[in-house]
Amino acid sequence: MSEKAKKIKKNKSEGVYVRKSFGKRTLEDWIFDIIIYLTLAFVVVVTVYPFWNTAVLSVNEGLDSLRGGVKLWPRVFTWHNYEILFRTNAIPKAFRVSVSRTIIQTVLNIFCTTVLAYALSRKEFVLRKVFTTVLVISMYVNAGLIPGYMLIRKLGLLGKYSVYIIPCLVEVFNFILVRTYISGLSDSFIESARIDGANEFLIYRKIIMPLIVPSIAMVALFVAVGAWSAWFDTYLYCSGKQHLHSLQYKLMEYLNSAMNSSNSAADAGSKALAAASGSVAAQITPISIRSAITMVATIPILIVYPFLQKYFVSGIAIGGVKE
């Protein structure tokens, strides 16, 4: 028998063996699989249902939502909750502020964090341990709200767009993850580039940046979600500047207004009387406007996250472990 025939016979026999081995499943295997699938299904339902219910309530008529029972599908479908949010130009303006803030803060934070992480990951940098210690201490020691506000005022950032950017250029947690990721890279890349005459910035741009893409994506997601969700800094530093209000702050104002209007209507009389009078409380309710606000604030992040998920997971796995 030729070698080719022997190889074909061997492959066929191995294939049959593999198929038979996979076909032999015991009762314990089936029970284990059923338990796993039921557990995963339960986790999916618990995770997805609150978001789906919020989406349903956001397109359901406000007063009808107060009756309860709206679970999987809107009972009285309407876009009125979103129309209330976008009735004026305040929301589009705030949306532009949040988008620009998120993009600028993410880009600058990535640049500053990666540059700092690269500099403090070099063993030849004498003061790297001193600077790293100071940065780590800042994670645990916070001056507090009042000293922070006084610092922002002394820097002349109150009521200015730069207050959204400058205080957030570097975050220590992200710096530690990126530095750990860079420290895991082989020094041979950098040594070879230096032999070829590359300076430090060229090494950072041509060698380090392409190798730490998962770490960059991880930092980008952290920073973008934080910048998009932030509203308290607007409340502290820019509450008197309408053109600097972020989307989250404006939505928070809408929610407070809806709740106050609802409470005022309840004190004045019944909900039916408010509905007959055509007041704001008849048009929206706290539960409906809160659901619409949640959807407006969440959907942009849900659109971006799938594109960064694979980099995010690998960035956490590699950057979070130091051998």
Side-chain angles (χ1 to χ4, degrees):
M1 184 181 295
S2 64
E3 291 295 331
K4 185 175 181 181
K6 290 181 180 179
K7 186 180 293 185
I8 293 174
K9 184 177 180 180
K10 181 180 179 181
N11 291 337
K12 286 183 177 180
S13 62
E14 289 178 353
V16 172
Y17 175 76
V18 171
R19 286 195 295 271
K20 286 183 178 179
S21 63
F22 277 108
K24 295 179 179 179
R25 296 181 59 83
T26 63
L27 179 61
E28 290 79 4
D29 295 333
W30 285 106
I31 294 176
F32 180 78
D33 289 346
I34 292 173
I35 294 175
I36 291 297
Y37 289 134
L38 289 177
T39 303
L40 291 176
F42 175 76
V43 172
V44 169
V45 171
V46 171
T47 304
V48 174
Y49 175 73
F51 179 79
W52 177 256
N53 182 252
T54 302
V56 170
L57 291 174
S58 70
V59 293
N60 194 73
E61 198 272 331
L63 291 180
D64 182 75
S65 299
L66 293 176
R67 295 165 49 197
V70 181
K71 303 297 183 182
L72 299 176
W73 198 254
R75 190 162 48 212
V76 182
F77 184 85
T78 181
W79 291 108
H80 187 66
N81 300 322
Y82 292 96
E83 292 175 0
I84 293 294
L85 291 179
F86 294 95
R87 178 173 294 177
T88 64
N89 292 328
I91 292 296
K93 289 181 180 179
F95 183 82
R96 288 193 292 269
V97 170
S98 290
V99 169
S100 63
R101 168 190 180 170
T102 301
I103 295 175
I104 296 174
Q105 183 175 329
T106 302
V107 172
L108 292 181
N109 187 283
I110 288 174
F111 175 75
C112 295
T113 301
T114 52
V115 168
L116 181 63
Y118 170 66
L120 296 185
S121 67
R122 296 300 87 207
K123 297 178 181 178
E124 59 269 22
F125 183 42
V126 179
L127 298 178
R128 66 188 184 94
K129 291 186 178 180
V130 176
F131 283 105
T132 302
T133 303
V134 172
L135 289 172
V136 172
I137 290 175
S138 67
M139 293 181 62
Y140 302 98
V141 180
N142 194 335
L145 184 62
I146 295 178
Y149 180 87
M150 295 176 62
L151 176 62
I152 294 296
R153 187 180 63 179
K154 289 291 184 180
L155 294 175
L157 299 179
L158 283 181
K160 295 182 180 179
Y161 184 82
S162 55
V163 76
Y164 294 145
I165 309 300
I166 295 178
C168 305
L169 289 178
V170 175
E171 295 182 11
V172 180
F173 178 75
N174 295 337
F175 153 76
I176 293 175
L177 291 178
V178 176
R179 192 202 62 170
T180 305
Y181 198 106
I182 295 176
S183 299
L185 302 177
S186 176
D187 293 335
S188 59
F189 296 109
I190 299 175
E191 293 173 359
S192 299
R194 286 174 179 168
I195 292 174
D196 293 335
N199 56 32
E200 294 299 329
F201 185 76
L202 187 61
I203 294 173
Y204 161 78
R205 187 166 61 90
K206 293 292 187 178
I207 305 296
I208 300 300
M209 290 291 285
L211 293 176
I212 62 171
V213 170
S215 183
I216 291 175
M218 173 190 60
V219 172
L221 186 61
F222 282 156
V223 176
V225 171
W228 179 260
S229 304
W231 65 270
F232 193 61
D233 51 357
T234 304
Y235 175 76
L236 288 178
Y237 310 127
C238 301
S239 58
K241 304 289 184 179
Q242 294 288 335
H243 64 285
L244 294 179
H245 285 182
S246 62
L247 178 63
Q248 306 297 334
Y249 180 76
K250 189 61 66 175
L251 295 178
M252 188 260 307
E253 284 188 336
Y254 269 74
L255 179 60
N256 290 337
S257 176
M259 295 182 67
N260 292 334
S261 298
S262 178
N263 293 334
S264 299
D267 294 338
S270 65
K271 293 289 183 181
L273 181 60
S277 63
S279 64
V280 176
Q283 299 172 3
I284 60 175
T285 58
I287 189 173
S288 62
I289 199 67
R290 182 172 62 247
S291 301
I293 287 172
T294 302
M295 296 306 299
V296 171
T298 305
I299 287 177
I301 296 298
L302 292 180
I303 295 175
V304 173
Y305 181 75
F307 298 99
L308 301 176
Q309 181 181 11
K310 61 178 182 179
Y311 299 110
F312 175 77
V313 173
S314 59
I316 286 291
I318 300 177
V321 178
K322 175 66 175 178
E323 294 182 358

